[in-house]
Amino acid sequence: MIHLLAIDVGTLSARAGVFDAAGTLLAARAASFELMRPAENHAVYRMDEVWDAVVSAVRAAVADVPGAAATIAGIAVDATSSTVFEARGPRPLEGDADVICWMDHRGEREAEEIAATGDRYVAYVGGTVSPEMYLPKILWVKRHTPEAWARVTAVRDLSDDIAVRLTGVDRASACALACKFPYLPDDPEPWRVGLLAELGIADLLDRGALREPPGRVGEVHGRLSAEAAARLGLPAGVPVAVGLIDAEAGSLGVLGRGFGEAMNRTLALIGGTSTCTMSWAPDERRIPGVWGPFKDAVFPGYWMHEAGQSISGAALDAVLDQHPASPGKASPERHAETVRDILALLDAEGPAFGARRHVVPDWLGNRAPLGDGGVRALLTGIGLEVTRRSFLEQYYATARALALQARHIRDHLNRHAYAIDRVSLSGGHTRNPLLVRLYRDALGADLVISEAPEPVLLGTAMVAAVAAGLHPDLFAALDAMAPRQTVHRADPGWAAAHEAAYATYLKLFAIRNDIEAEARRVPRGPAAPPGV
């Protein structure tokens, strides 16, 4: 019996899954770690705590499958796109931390500065630079804490750092470099060294193994070291794959068999705290307001586009956490209770329910199609009501806005050579019946749901299978390990209502953008210190 070990490092926890060679999940366990918020727009971790959570999750998952410890044929890691700063002496970030979380927006001004250079790199991130990319954060650290930067010995993507701890081999992944750094894999000199020099951070490339050629997803990063094996309770020498970002792993878990032929028609949507959408093309397509195209980010030789929403599931959490009539803080049980009541009202009242409430859901900037990390949400229909119904309407309007903006992204991609008519959904949003119904009816495309309990872990297990030599490439792993899928087609009875809501959303989106443009013409003073 052959087993595969998949490790997923999320925003608040590490998960480990043990799979058989066919892609069946046999066991999954999780362990949490602390996300610290030392200042507004700052979010950080301690890497040792993340690693301890990985160890705990792996040991628990493997223990749940008798004999698995001796039969693990391959290991792979995915993680959020968070930035690790290894340093001499004390941890280099505030709060005694050494990892900047993906959602940290401290680098908004640095992102604007990078975009304003007009460097060729900017054309490969949609024409603007998001503060969620790595360079704005790294630049902020060097400029605001130069003494800490001087002690930094390596800068890594989070999944790459886990791979280093597993193997002792310092190597970057093509996924992280192509998607998050100023690195263009198709260029003779991929690093944008001129841009780094112009920004005063050419020494970034002296931190760790960034100058070395990266590994492609599914290649062998290294083999499990004796030290890591002892901590995990596994034999040394197991191949560890070059890993990938968690959203890309979730895409692999839901793309389905025959993806090579359906590539131009398929959009993967991974919905959780945030939402990521992924699409691939055999040719280079530069799409305004969409991250990419990133060559070799997952499938060697193919170009990937990434869009999405920085805050999605977390926005629904916020309605529960903040509305005066909420039954209490967000929890799976309270979401389920809220959704049950909303669905009953929708069945009773139809489109009239919440019809005056609309949302442009950009609480932490707009990833796509605007590509502006500085804009914020716009809400209409808000009064002084503090009733249960006002709470339910606000939750519904927020959920509907997430689906409508996903349609906006899909339509934008289709105006740039895609022909997307199927959206493959994965992540926590599949467990929210209201979101599933809205995606089904409001996307303007067939909704495809895979019968996989943990699609992110499954995608990572496919990567492990390639590193283990079970499949020659990721396309073959997909065809062998992808789960069954169910296609959900829109309810025609809701078509007119969602078309009207979408037209309203587009009007409000344009108005909000005008308001932001006016605000930015107001002269700005110096930046406020952190925490103010």
Side-chain angles (χ1 to χ4, degrees):
M1 185 72 170
I2 290 176
H3 294 101
L4 301 164
L5 175 62
I7 299 167
D8 165 49
V9 182
T11 302
L12 297 173
S13 66
R15 300 185 302 153
V18 178
F19 290 79
D20 66 18
T24 302
L25 178 64
L26 304 177
R29 289 295 193 98
S32 62
F33 46 81
E34 184 181 6
L35 172 64
M36 298 173 287
R37 297 181 181 273
E40 185 176 358
N41 288 332
H42 291 216
V44 295
Y45 305 112
R46 298 185 184 105
M47 190 61 215
D48 287 344
E49 293 179 3
V50 176
W51 173 241
D52 287 345
V54 168
V55 171
S56 296
V58 168
R59 293 187 73 96
V62 171
D64 284 345
V65 182
T71 55
I72 299 292
I75 302 170
V77 183
D78 75 78
T80 64
S81 49
S82 300
T83 320
V84 180
F85 295 79
E86 185 179 280
R88 297 182 299 271
R91 296 183 181 96
L93 303 175
E94 72 272 51
D96 188 32
D98 51 3
V99 185
I100 295 182
C101 174
W102 65 268
M103 68 172 66
D104 186 299
H105 267 227
R106 72 182 68 196
E108 287 185 0
R109 287 200 173 190
E110 287 75 12
E112 292 176 7
E113 178 185 349
I114 296 164
T117 66
D119 187 82
R120 183 171 138 78
Y121 160 68
V122 178
Y124 287 83
V125 287
T128 63
V129 176
S130 168
E132 294 175 26
M133 295 296 179
Y134 291 174
L135 186 56
K137 300 171 184 177
I138 297 167
L139 192 56
W140 190 99
V141 169
K142 178 171 184 179
R143 289 178 174 175
H144 289 261
T145 58
E147 70 292 341
W149 176 253
R151 295 188 291 103
V152 172
T153 57
V155 176
R156 299 188 190 96
D157 170 76
L158 179 53
S159 70
D160 292 344
D161 197 84
I162 296 293
V164 170
R165 289 174 181 245
L166 289 170
T167 65
V169 177
D170 195 354
R171 188 183 188 192
S173 62
C175 183
L177 292 192
C179 295
K180 298 300 174 182
F181 284 94
Y183 184 93
L184 305 180
D186 209 39
D187 283 8
E189 170 47 66
W191 280 104
R192 302 301 299 160
V193 292
L195 172 63
L196 296 177
E198 179 179 350
L199 296 169
I201 197 163
D203 54 341
L204 168 63
L205 299 186
D206 298 327
R207 267 68 177 174
L210 293 175
R211 291 187 187 273
E212 302 300 319
R216 291 180 168 182
V217 175
E219 292 179 353
V220 176
H221 179 108
R223 294 186 176 272
L224 190 65
S225 69
E227 180 182 358
R231 287 212 63 189
L232 298 175
L234 300 174
V238 178
V240 177
V242 173
L244 70 172
I245 297 168
D246 58 346
E248 281 80 340
S251 296
L252 283 175
V254 299
L255 289 175
R257 290 177 169 84
F259 172 67
E261 294 73 38
M263 182 179 295
N264 202 53
R265 298 174 45 226
T266 302
L267 180 70
L269 192 157
I270 306 92
T273 303
S274 63
T275 292
C276 289
T277 67
M278 304 280 171
S279 53
W280 282 264
D283 55 311
E284 179 181 349
R285 302 171 189 173
R286 299 187 195 179
I287 303 178
V290 174
W291 296 350
F294 303 128
K295 191 175 184 185
D296 301 335
V298 177
F299 300 103
Y302 289 83
W303 301 81
M304 186 186 85
H305 291 97
E306 179 178 354
Q309 297 153 327
S310 296
I311 296 294
S312 58
L316 296 175
D317 288 344
V319 178
L320 276 162
D321 291 343
Q322 299 172 11
H323 196 282
S326 168
K329 293 294 184 181
S331 68
E333 295 75 21
R334 290 195 173 109
H335 278 291
E337 174 191 344
T338 301
V339 166
R340 180 199 65 207
D341 291 350
I342 291 171
L343 290 174
L345 285 166
L346 289 172
D347 289 342
E349 301 180 17
F353 176 73
R356 297 172 63 187
R357 293 181 185 259
H358 296 273
V359 178
V360 179
D362 294 331
W363 286 272
L364 195 60
N366 179 273
R367 282 190 189 172
L370 184 62
D372 187 336
V375 300
R376 290 298 182 262
L378 180 67
L379 289 73
T380 73
I382 307 300
L384 298 178
E385 300 89 353
V386 292
T387 62
R388 169 75 174 172
R389 183 182 179 94
S390 70
F391 159 71
L392 295 174
E393 287 185 353
Q394 189 57 40
Y395 189 103
Y396 172 66
T398 301
R400 181 179 61 186
L402 298 175
L404 293 175
Q405 191 168 80
R407 175 177 171 179
H408 195 184
I409 292 168
R410 175 246 180 191
D411 289 354
H412 185 63
L413 292 170
N414 281 355
R415 286 192 289 270
H416 293 84
Y418 280 100
I420 294 165
D421 60 5
R422 60 195 308 269
V423 176
S424 296
L425 178 65
S426 70
H429 292 194
T430 61
R431 296 188 287 275
N432 184 314
L434 174 62
L435 281 174
V436 171
R437 176 166 160 173
L438 287 166
Y439 285 133
R440 180 197 70 189
D441 293 341
L443 278 175
D446 288 343
L447 181 67
V448 181
I449 296 181
S450 296
E451 297 178 14
E454 296 287 355
V456 176
L457 286 171
L458 174 58
T460 304
M462 293 177 184
V463 175
V466 174
L470 302 184
H471 305 289
D473 55 39
L474 288 171
F475 288 112
L478 265 173
D479 285 341
M481 300 172 68
R484 292 179 56 187
Q485 295 183 315
T486 304
V487 178
H488 302 259
R489 294 189 167 86
D491 180 350
W494 279 86
H498 288 310
E499 283 298 320
Y502 185 50
T504 299
Y505 158 83
L506 292 175
K507 292 175 188 175
L508 293 174
F509 184 82
I511 291 169
R512 189 281 312 277
N513 296 344
D514 289 343
I515 294 170
E516 289 283 346
E518 289 288 343
R520 291 174 187 185
R521 283 192 279 270
V522 177
R524 293 199 305 189
V532 176

